[in-house]
Amino acid sequence: MTKEQRIANIVADLEGWEVKSDENGSYLEVKLGEFLLEMDSSDIPNIDTLTKEELATIIFDKYLEQ
């Protein structure tokens, strides 16, 4: 499976995301199919204008492409 196909699969599974905060600072909570992923908001350079495709690419690059 190519990188583009894997990113398209992530996009299809993305149900939404929300910026949250706790005593350690802010983070992005991502609902991805049956999973809930918490990401450091500093990993997301354009959080206010973030698209599903951009978030899927960040998830792929940070967590899957190794």
mmCIF file of all heavy atoms in Angstrom, residues 1-11 14 30 32 37 39 43-44 50-66:
data_model
loop_
_atom_site.group_PDB
_atom_site.id
_atom_site.type_symbol
_atom_site.label_atom_id
_atom_site.label_comp_id
_atom_site.label_asym_id
_atom_site.label_seq_id
_atom_site.Cartn_x
_atom_site.Cartn_y
_atom_site.Cartn_z
ATOM 1 N N MET A 1 0.852 -1.173 0.000
ATOM 2 C CA MET A 1 0.000 0.000 0.000
ATOM 3 C C MET A 1 0.901 1.241 0.000
ATOM 4 O O MET A 1 1.852 1.319 0.765
ATOM 5 C CB MET A 1 -0.890 -0.034 1.244
ATOM 6 C CG MET A 1 -1.952 1.019 1.242
ATOM 7 S SD MET A 1 -3.076 1.000 2.666
ATOM 8 C CE MET A 1 -3.802 -0.611 2.551
ATOM 9 N N THR A 2 0.581 2.209 -0.815
ATOM 10 C CA THR A 2 1.394 3.422 -0.914
ATOM 11 C C THR A 2 1.082 4.379 0.238
ATOM 12 O O THR A 2 0.070 4.237 0.933
ATOM 13 C CB THR A 2 1.125 4.167 -2.232
ATOM 14 O OG1 THR A 2 -0.206 4.678 -2.202
ATOM 15 C CG2 THR A 2 1.321 3.261 -3.441
ATOM 16 N N LYS A 3 1.969 5.339 0.414
ATOM 17 C CA LYS A 3 1.766 6.370 1.438
ATOM 18 C C LYS A 3 0.447 7.094 1.201
ATOM 19 O O LYS A 3 -0.314 7.325 2.137
ATOM 20 C CB LYS A 3 2.934 7.355 1.430
ATOM 21 C CG LYS A 3 2.772 8.492 2.406
ATOM 22 C CD LYS A 3 3.947 9.448 2.372
ATOM 23 C CE LYS A 3 3.727 10.593 3.349
ATOM 24 N NZ LYS A 3 4.874 11.488 3.427
ATOM 25 N N GLU A 4 0.161 7.429 -0.041
ATOM 26 C CA GLU A 4 -1.072 8.152 -0.368
ATOM 27 C C GLU A 4 -2.313 7.332 -0.023
ATOM 28 O O GLU A 4 -3.308 7.863 0.468
ATOM 29 C CB GLU A 4 -1.085 8.543 -1.848
ATOM 30 C CG GLU A 4 -0.081 9.608 -2.224
ATOM 31 C CD GLU A 4 1.362 9.091 -2.332
ATOM 32 O OE1 GLU A 4 1.564 7.862 -2.495
ATOM 33 O OE2 GLU A 4 2.283 9.911 -2.233
ATOM 34 N N GLN A 5 -2.265 6.029 -0.271
ATOM 35 C CA GLN A 5 -3.393 5.159 0.063
ATOM 36 C C GLN A 5 -3.578 5.061 1.572
ATOM 37 O O GLN A 5 -4.706 5.078 2.066
ATOM 38 C CB GLN A 5 -3.185 3.762 -0.530
ATOM 39 C CG GLN A 5 -3.289 3.711 -2.027
ATOM 40 C CD GLN A 5 -2.833 2.372 -2.596
ATOM 41 O OE1 GLN A 5 -1.852 1.789 -2.139
ATOM 42 N NE2 GLN A 5 -3.560 1.888 -3.593
ATOM 43 N N ARG A 6 -2.488 4.962 2.285
ATOM 44 C CA ARG A 6 -2.575 4.882 3.753
ATOM 45 C C ARG A 6 -3.122 6.182 4.333
ATOM 46 O O ARG A 6 -3.937 6.154 5.257
ATOM 47 C CB ARG A 6 -1.214 4.535 4.341
ATOM 48 C CG ARG A 6 -0.791 3.114 3.942
ATOM 49 C CD ARG A 6 0.518 2.719 4.522
ATOM 50 N NE ARG A 6 0.347 2.441 5.951
ATOM 51 C CZ ARG A 6 1.363 2.233 6.778
ATOM 52 N NH1 ARG A 6 2.599 2.256 6.328
ATOM 53 N NH2 ARG A 6 1.151 1.994 8.051
ATOM 54 N N ILE A 7 -2.692 7.316 3.799
ATOM 55 C CA ILE A 7 -3.210 8.606 4.265
ATOM 56 C C ILE A 7 -4.697 8.719 3.941
ATOM 57 O O ILE A 7 -5.489 9.183 4.765
ATOM 58 C CB ILE A 7 -2.396 9.774 3.676
ATOM 59 C CG1 ILE A 7 -1.001 9.787 4.315
ATOM 60 C CG2 ILE A 7 -3.112 11.110 3.886
ATOM 61 C CD1 ILE A 7 -0.029 10.769 3.714
ATOM 62 N N ALA A 8 -5.108 8.263 2.767
ATOM 63 C CA ALA A 8 -6.538 8.275 2.409
ATOM 64 C C ALA A 8 -7.348 7.415 3.370
ATOM 65 O O ALA A 8 -8.476 7.786 3.743
ATOM 66 C CB ALA A 8 -6.720 7.787 0.975
ATOM 67 N N ASN A 9 -6.799 6.294 3.814
ATOM 68 C CA ASN A 9 -7.489 5.453 4.792
ATOM 69 C C ASN A 9 -7.634 6.167 6.133
ATOM 70 O O ASN A 9 -8.666 6.052 6.796
ATOM 71 C CB ASN A 9 -6.748 4.127 4.983
ATOM 72 C CG ASN A 9 -6.911 3.202 3.808
ATOM 73 O OD1 ASN A 9 -7.813 3.349 2.995
ATOM 74 N ND2 ASN A 9 -6.012 2.237 3.699
ATOM 75 N N ILE A 10 -6.594 6.893 6.535
ATOM 76 C CA ILE A 10 -6.672 7.660 7.784
ATOM 77 C C ILE A 10 -7.741 8.733 7.665
ATOM 78 O O ILE A 10 -8.552 8.923 8.576
ATOM 79 C CB ILE A 10 -5.301 8.273 8.137
ATOM 80 C CG1 ILE A 10 -4.283 7.171 8.431
ATOM 81 C CG2 ILE A 10 -5.418 9.219 9.334
ATOM 82 C CD1 ILE A 10 -2.849 7.663 8.568
ATOM 83 N N VAL A 11 -7.777 9.439 6.537
ATOM 84 C CA VAL A 11 -8.796 10.467 6.306
ATOM 85 C C VAL A 11 -10.198 9.867 6.437
ATOM 86 O O VAL A 11 -11.081 10.431 7.067
ATOM 87 C CB VAL A 11 -8.618 11.144 4.926
ATOM 88 C CG1 VAL A 11 -9.818 12.008 4.578
ATOM 89 C CG2 VAL A 11 -7.340 11.971 4.895
ATOM 90 N N LEU A 14 -11.025 9.316 10.129
ATOM 91 C CA LEU A 14 -11.053 10.484 11.006
ATOM 92 C C LEU A 14 -12.493 10.945 11.240
ATOM 93 O O LEU A 14 -13.201 11.293 10.312
ATOM 94 C CB LEU A 14 -10.275 11.639 10.377
ATOM 95 C CG LEU A 14 -8.847 11.811 10.783
ATOM 96 C CD1 LEU A 14 -8.178 12.877 9.935
ATOM 97 C CD2 LEU A 14 -8.694 12.121 12.232
ATOM 98 N N VAL A 30 -7.943 13.381 19.002
ATOM 99 C CA VAL A 30 -8.369 12.969 17.671
ATOM 100 C C VAL A 30 -9.161 11.668 17.776
ATOM 101 O O VAL A 30 -8.669 10.683 18.326
ATOM 102 C CB VAL A 30 -7.153 12.754 16.742
ATOM 103 C CG1 VAL A 30 -7.607 12.341 15.347
ATOM 104 C CG2 VAL A 30 -6.293 14.003 16.677
ATOM 105 N N LEU A 32 -10.288 8.641 15.855
ATOM 106 C CA LEU A 32 -9.846 7.962 14.644
ATOM 107 C C LEU A 32 -10.421 6.552 14.663
ATOM 108 O O LEU A 32 -9.852 5.638 15.242
ATOM 109 C CB LEU A 32 -8.317 7.931 14.606
ATOM 110 C CG LEU A 32 -7.636 7.412 13.358
ATOM 111 C CD1 LEU A 32 -8.013 8.241 12.138
ATOM 112 C CD2 LEU A 32 -6.133 7.420 13.536
ATOM 113 N N LEU A 37 -6.826 9.320 19.932
ATOM 114 C CA LEU A 37 -5.411 9.653 19.886
ATOM 115 C C LEU A 37 -5.217 11.039 20.490
ATOM 116 O O LEU A 37 -5.937 11.971 20.144
ATOM 117 C CB LEU A 37 -4.938 9.630 18.429
ATOM 118 C CG LEU A 37 -3.508 9.993 18.109
ATOM 119 C CD1 LEU A 37 -2.550 8.987 18.730
ATOM 120 C CD2 LEU A 37 -3.305 10.041 16.606
ATOM 121 N N MET A 39 -2.544 14.054 20.783
ATOM 122 C CA MET A 39 -1.330 14.554 20.151
ATOM 123 C C MET A 39 -0.946 15.889 20.773
ATOM 124 O O MET A 39 -1.807 16.711 21.067
ATOM 125 C CB MET A 39 -1.562 14.759 18.651
ATOM 126 C CG MET A 39 -1.934 13.514 17.907
ATOM 127 S SD MET A 39 -2.291 13.832 16.162
ATOM 128 C CE MET A 39 -0.702 14.387 15.575
ATOM 129 N N ASP A 43 2.835 19.715 17.734
ATOM 130 C CA ASP A 43 3.066 18.935 16.521
ATOM 131 C C ASP A 43 2.208 19.428 15.352
ATOM 132 O O ASP A 43 2.405 19.007 14.218
ATOM 133 C CB ASP A 43 2.744 17.456 16.756
ATOM 134 C CG ASP A 43 3.719 16.789 17.705
ATOM 135 O OD1 ASP A 43 4.862 17.280 17.827
ATOM 136 O OD2 ASP A 43 3.339 15.784 18.333
ATOM 137 N N ILE A 44 1.246 20.301 15.640
ATOM 138 C CA ILE A 44 0.291 20.775 14.633
ATOM 139 C C ILE A 44 0.552 22.263 14.390
ATOM 140 O O ILE A 44 0.134 23.109 15.170
ATOM 141 C CB ILE A 44 -1.171 20.588 15.112
ATOM 142 C CG1 ILE A 44 -1.386 19.229 15.756
ATOM 143 C CG2 ILE A 44 -2.140 20.856 13.984
ATOM 144 C CD1 ILE A 44 -1.220 18.051 14.851
ATOM 145 N N LEU A 50 -6.639 23.583 10.208
ATOM 146 C CA LEU A 50 -6.296 22.193 9.937
ATOM 147 C C LEU A 50 -7.389 21.478 9.134
ATOM 148 O O LEU A 50 -8.565 21.587 9.445
ATOM 149 C CB LEU A 50 -6.095 21.480 11.283
ATOM 150 C CG LEU A 50 -5.521 20.082 11.270
ATOM 151 C CD1 LEU A 50 -4.102 20.091 10.717
ATOM 152 C CD2 LEU A 50 -5.519 19.519 12.682
ATOM 153 N N THR A 51 -6.965 20.742 8.103
ATOM 154 C CA THR A 51 -7.899 19.922 7.326
ATOM 155 C C THR A 51 -7.678 18.453 7.671
ATOM 156 O O THR A 51 -6.654 18.089 8.253
ATOM 157 C CB THR A 51 -7.686 20.108 5.809
ATOM 158 O OG1 THR A 51 -6.398 19.585 5.467
ATOM 159 C CG2 THR A 51 -7.794 21.566 5.396
ATOM 160 N N LYS A 52 -8.631 17.625 7.290
ATOM 161 C CA LYS A 52 -8.498 16.187 7.527
ATOM 162 C C LYS A 52 -7.248 15.635 6.845
ATOM 163 O O LYS A 52 -6.534 14.816 7.405
ATOM 164 C CB LYS A 52 -9.723 15.425 6.993
ATOM 165 C CG LYS A 52 -10.885 15.399 7.906
ATOM 166 C CD LYS A 52 -11.960 14.488 7.328
ATOM 167 C CE LYS A 52 -12.977 14.127 8.380
ATOM 168 N NZ LYS A 52 -13.937 13.133 7.903
ATOM 169 N N GLU A 53 -6.991 16.083 5.635
ATOM 170 C CA GLU A 53 -5.841 15.601 4.878
ATOM 171 C C GLU A 53 -4.523 15.980 5.558
ATOM 172 O O GLU A 53 -3.595 15.182 5.624
ATOM 173 C CB GLU A 53 -5.873 16.117 3.441
ATOM 174 C CG GLU A 53 -6.980 15.532 2.601
ATOM 175 C CD GLU A 53 -8.371 16.138 2.854
ATOM 176 O OE1 GLU A 53 -8.480 17.188 3.554
ATOM 177 O OE2 GLU A 53 -9.352 15.551 2.387
ATOM 178 N N GLU A 54 -4.451 17.220 6.061
ATOM 179 C CA GLU A 54 -3.242 17.658 6.752
ATOM 180 C C GLU A 54 -3.025 16.856 8.036
ATOM 181 O O GLU A 54 -1.905 16.412 8.320
ATOM 182 C CB GLU A 54 -3.326 19.145 7.094
ATOM 183 C CG GLU A 54 -3.243 20.046 5.882
ATOM 184 C CD GLU A 54 -3.585 21.491 6.202
ATOM 185 O OE1 GLU A 54 -4.349 21.765 7.138
ATOM 186 O OE2 GLU A 54 -3.069 22.361 5.472
ATOM 187 N N LEU A 55 -4.090 16.670 8.805
ATOM 188 C CA LEU A 55 -3.977 15.907 10.041
ATOM 189 C C LEU A 55 -3.604 14.453 9.759
ATOM 190 O O LEU A 55 -2.750 13.883 10.434
ATOM 191 C CB LEU A 55 -5.275 15.982 10.845
ATOM 192 C CG LEU A 55 -5.271 15.248 12.186
ATOM 193 C CD1 LEU A 55 -4.120 15.722 13.081
ATOM 194 C CD2 LEU A 55 -6.605 15.420 12.889
ATOM 195 N N ALA A 56 -4.202 13.862 8.744
ATOM 196 C CA ALA A 56 -3.875 12.476 8.380
ATOM 197 C C ALA A 56 -2.408 12.351 7.984
ATOM 198 O O ALA A 56 -1.735 11.376 8.349
ATOM 199 C CB ALA A 56 -4.774 12.006 7.246
ATOM 200 N N THR A 57 -1.883 13.325 7.285
ATOM 201 C CA THR A 57 -0.477 13.304 6.883
ATOM 202 C C THR A 57 0.428 13.423 8.108
ATOM 203 O O THR A 57 1.433 12.714 8.221
ATOM 204 C CB THR A 57 -0.177 14.438 5.887
ATOM 205 O OG1 THR A 57 -1.030 14.268 4.741
ATOM 206 C CG2 THR A 57 1.268 14.438 5.444
ATOM 207 N N ILE A 58 0.067 14.291 9.051
ATOM 208 C CA ILE A 58 0.849 14.433 10.282
ATOM 209 C C ILE A 58 0.829 13.125 11.072
ATOM 210 O O ILE A 58 1.863 12.668 11.563
ATOM 211 C CB ILE A 58 0.318 15.607 11.130
ATOM 212 C CG1 ILE A 58 0.595 16.936 10.411
ATOM 213 C CG2 ILE A 58 0.950 15.609 12.522
ATOM 214 C CD1 ILE A 58 -0.138 18.130 10.994
ATOM 215 N N ILE A 59 -0.341 12.510 11.198
ATOM 216 C CA ILE A 59 -0.453 11.235 11.916
ATOM 217 C C ILE A 59 0.408 10.177 11.246
ATOM 218 O O ILE A 59 1.143 9.443 11.900
ATOM 219 C CB ILE A 59 -1.925 10.784 12.008
ATOM 220 C CG1 ILE A 59 -2.704 11.728 12.939
ATOM 221 C CG2 ILE A 59 -2.028 9.339 12.485
ATOM 222 C CD1 ILE A 59 -4.205 11.540 12.903
ATOM 223 N N PHE A 60 0.323 10.098 9.927
ATOM 224 C CA PHE A 60 1.127 9.111 9.199
ATOM 225 C C PHE A 60 2.613 9.357 9.426
ATOM 226 O O PHE A 60 3.363 8.439 9.758
ATOM 227 C CB PHE A 60 0.800 9.152 7.712
ATOM 228 C CG PHE A 60 1.601 8.162 6.920
ATOM 229 C CD1 PHE A 60 1.198 6.846 6.828
ATOM 230 C CD2 PHE A 60 2.781 8.536 6.294
ATOM 231 C CE1 PHE A 60 1.946 5.908 6.113
ATOM 232 C CE2 PHE A 60 3.541 7.615 5.581
ATOM 233 C CZ PHE A 60 3.118 6.299 5.492
ATOM 234 N N ASP A 61 3.048 10.591 9.234
ATOM 235 C CA ASP A 61 4.470 10.915 9.349
ATOM 236 C C ASP A 61 4.996 10.693 10.764
ATOM 237 O O ASP A 61 6.121 10.231 10.945
ATOM 238 C CB ASP A 61 4.740 12.362 8.926
ATOM 239 C CG ASP A 61 4.561 12.588 7.440
ATOM 240 O OD1 ASP A 61 4.539 11.594 6.678
ATOM 241 O OD2 ASP A 61 4.415 13.756 7.037
ATOM 242 N N LYS A 62 4.201 11.010 11.763
ATOM 243 C CA LYS A 62 4.669 10.932 13.153
ATOM 244 C C LYS A 62 4.570 9.516 13.732
ATOM 245 O O LYS A 62 5.446 9.100 14.481
ATOM 246 C CB LYS A 62 3.875 11.900 14.028
ATOM 247 C CG LYS A 62 4.334 11.925 15.466
ATOM 248 C CD LYS A 62 3.839 13.130 16.182
ATOM 249 C CE LYS A 62 4.264 13.167 17.615
ATOM 250 N NZ LYS A 62 5.671 13.371 17.839
ATOM 251 N N TYR A 63 3.511 8.786 13.397
ATOM 252 C CA TYR A 63 3.256 7.523 14.073
ATOM 253 C C TYR A 63 3.410 6.274 13.204
ATOM 254 O O TYR A 63 3.648 5.201 13.729
ATOM 255 C CB TYR A 63 1.845 7.519 14.670
ATOM 256 C CG TYR A 63 1.644 8.598 15.704
ATOM 257 C CD1 TYR A 63 0.920 9.736 15.402
ATOM 258 C CD2 TYR A 63 2.193 8.481 16.967
ATOM 259 C CE1 TYR A 63 0.738 10.734 16.344
ATOM 260 C CE2 TYR A 63 2.016 9.457 17.914
ATOM 261 C CZ TYR A 63 1.291 10.592 17.606
ATOM 262 O OH TYR A 63 1.119 11.575 18.535
ATOM 263 N N LEU A 64 3.231 6.393 11.911
ATOM 264 C CA LEU A 64 3.189 5.193 11.084
ATOM 265 C C LEU A 64 4.399 5.004 10.188
ATOM 266 O O LEU A 64 4.758 3.872 9.874
ATOM 267 C CB LEU A 64 1.921 5.190 10.235
ATOM 268 C CG LEU A 64 0.610 5.236 11.032
ATOM 269 C CD1 LEU A 64 -0.578 5.318 10.092
ATOM 270 C CD2 LEU A 64 0.502 4.052 11.945
ATOM 271 N N GLU A 65 4.994 6.062 9.733
ATOM 272 C CA GLU A 65 6.117 5.931 8.796
ATOM 273 C C GLU A 65 7.421 5.818 9.580
ATOM 274 O O GLU A 65 8.026 6.817 9.936
ATOM 275 C CB GLU A 65 6.168 7.130 7.852
ATOM 276 C CG GLU A 65 7.205 6.967 6.767
ATOM 277 C CD GLU A 65 7.197 8.114 5.807
ATOM 278 O OE1 GLU A 65 7.466 9.251 6.235
ATOM 279 O OE2 GLU A 65 6.905 7.872 4.639
ATOM 280 N N GLN A 66 7.814 4.587 9.862
ATOM 281 C CA GLN A 66 9.050 4.382 10.620
ATOM 282 C C GLN A 66 9.772 3.169 10.105
ATOM 283 O O GLN A 66 9.252 2.250 9.626
ATOM 284 C CB GLN A 66 8.742 4.219 12.084
ATOM 285 C CG GLN A 66 8.182 5.504 12.635
ATOM 286 C CD GLN A 66 8.004 5.478 14.150
ATOM 287 O OE1 GLN A 66 8.631 4.695 14.844
ATOM 288 N NE2 GLN A 66 7.146 6.319 14.628
#
